[in-house]
Amino acid sequence: MSNGSSITHFLLLPFAHTRELQLCHFWLFLGISLAALLGNGFIITSTACDQHLHTPMYFFLLNLSLLDLGCILTTVPKSMANSLWDTRAISYTGCAAQVFFFVFFISAEYFVLTVMAYDRYVAICKPLHYGILLGSRACVHMAAAAWASGFLNALLHTANTFSLPLCRGNAVEQFFCEIPPILKLSCSHSYLREVGLLVLGFSSAIGCFVFIVVSYVQIFRAVLRIPSEQGRHKAFSMCLPHLAVLSMIVSTGTFAYLKPPSISSPTLDLVVSVLYSVVPPAVNPLIYSLRNQELKDAVKKLVTGCF
């Protein structure tokens, strides 16, 4: 029997069982969503409209903001609707779509963060070659490669996950559809194929992480050799927001997927999943704008122009 005929819907993990807490969850997620939409919307509009921000760094930041919006719009609206209407159900097709888009956006975001590390490395360690190595065509190609890699990764994982026979119920132990909780419902050893793909994906992620670490080792060595304090401060201001965003995503994602089963619990899993899937899209605009005067000026100009 195929998955489509045996399971027509899945049951997501609820945040609360009492009506008051369900409404609190709805309003909390609504606030986070609006903050993410507003912050990322300002970055996207500012970088697109302000000629001073038409540089590789802001081009990649624009891509990151687009991916952040996609990520939060994939997971949060359905969870909000379920809390509002006091239900746990998500259709089989809707679950598959959530898996695909979440893997797509989160994978592409990680690849874009890797490219951004390369951008910072070239800007600080090889400034004379910056215009050659990161010309407009090279930037478009790298961004396109990140999006395409995320798409292929998502297509492969989604097709493989939903080709497995599921016979252990339809309750997903997560507030949105994600691959590991769905694999727990499989009754076939074929799930080992998806585990193999996940290991391959983690290997790719580790490769990107090593590249980022090596890049930043070179960056900090170069920054510490800058004679002026103002130059060092400017260099750190360019790098620290990227490191903060990367650290938040990598630490929470690694803990979520690699934590020991002995400390696993539905509540802990729920909190950790919120930290790596919901919080970053909302706080990334704040992190990037706090130490970036150019971006703050562009946002002020945009807001002033609107009102």
Side-chain angles (χ1 to χ4, degrees), residues 42-307:
F42 274 137
I43 288 179
I44 291 167
T45 309
S46 299
T47 52
C49 298
D50 195 319
Q51 294 289 333
H52 296 97
L53 301 185
H54 289 182
T55 64
M57 182 177 77
Y58 293 108
F59 172 72
F60 294 128
L61 183 58
L62 182 148
N63 279 267
L64 187 69
S65 292
L66 288 171
L67 292 166
D68 276 338
L69 283 180
C71 194
I72 201 167
L73 292 176
T74 297
T75 58
V76 170
K78 181 58 181 174
S79 182
M80 288 170 56
N82 281 3
S83 287
L84 188 62
W85 302 114
D86 191 19
T87 182
R88 295 174 56 193
I90 182 172
S91 68
Y92 184 89
T93 305
C95 187
Q98 267 199 343
V99 168
F100 174 81
F101 284 110
F102 181 73
V103 175
F104 169 41
F105 289 125
I106 206 73
S107 300
E109 181 164 340
Y110 191 65
F111 292 134
V112 167
L113 286 169
T114 305
V115 173
M116 290 175 77
Y118 175 71
D119 169 64
R120 296 300 84 212
Y121 166 76
V122 176
I124 293 172
C125 299
K126 298 180 181 294
L128 297 179
H129 299 90
Y130 190 74
I132 299 171
L133 296 175
L134 282 154
S136 57
R137 181 174 295 183
C139 290
V140 170
H141 286 170
M142 285 188 280
W147 285 77
S149 298
F151 178 83
L152 291 175
N153 191 40
L155 190 63
L156 190 62
H157 282 291
T158 306
N160 196 56
T161 299
F162 286 90
S163 67
L164 300 174
L166 307 176
C167 63
R168 296 178 181 171
N170 64 342
V172 178
E173 296 179 357
Q174 185 59 278
F175 79 94
F176 66 97
C177 285
E178 200 176 13
I179 293 172
I182 294 173
L183 290 182
K184 292 180 181 178
L185 306 178
S186 175
C187 52
S188 167
H189 290 295
S190 300
Y191 78 92
L192 293 174
R193 288 181 309 178
E194 179 56 28
V195 171
L197 286 176
L198 287 173
V199 170
L200 187 64
F202 274 118
S203 300
S204 175
I206 290 171
C208 290
F209 184 72
V210 170
F211 176 83
I212 292 168
V213 169
V214 171
S215 297
Y216 270 101
V217 168
Q218 299 297 320
I219 287 171
F220 287 136
R221 287 175 61 186
V223 169
L224 292 174
R225 289 198 297 265
I226 296 175
S228 69
E229 184 178 343
Q230 185 179 3
R232 288 196 299 270
H233 180 267
K234 183 178 180 180
F236 278 124
S237 296
M238 291 165 62
C239 298
L240 290 179
H242 178 254
L243 272 180
V245 170
L246 185 68
S247 300
M248 180 169 54
I249 293 174
V250 170
S251 59
T252 53
T254 301
F255 181 78
Y257 282 91
L258 301 180
K259 67 181 180 298
S262 58
I263 66 170
S264 182
S265 69
T267 303
L268 180 62
D269 293 346
L270 208 57
V271 171
V272 173
S273 64
V274 170
L275 287 176
Y276 73 79
S277 64
V278 177
V279 174
V283 301
N284 282 357
L286 183 64
I287 291 173
Y288 275 103
S289 61
L290 274 177
R291 298 176 63 91
N292 192 315
Q293 192 59 46
E294 285 183 325
L295 191 56
K296 284 192 282 190
D297 291 342
V299 171
K300 284 180 184 177
K301 188 188 300 183
L302 179 67
V303 173
T304 304
C306 290
F307 294 102

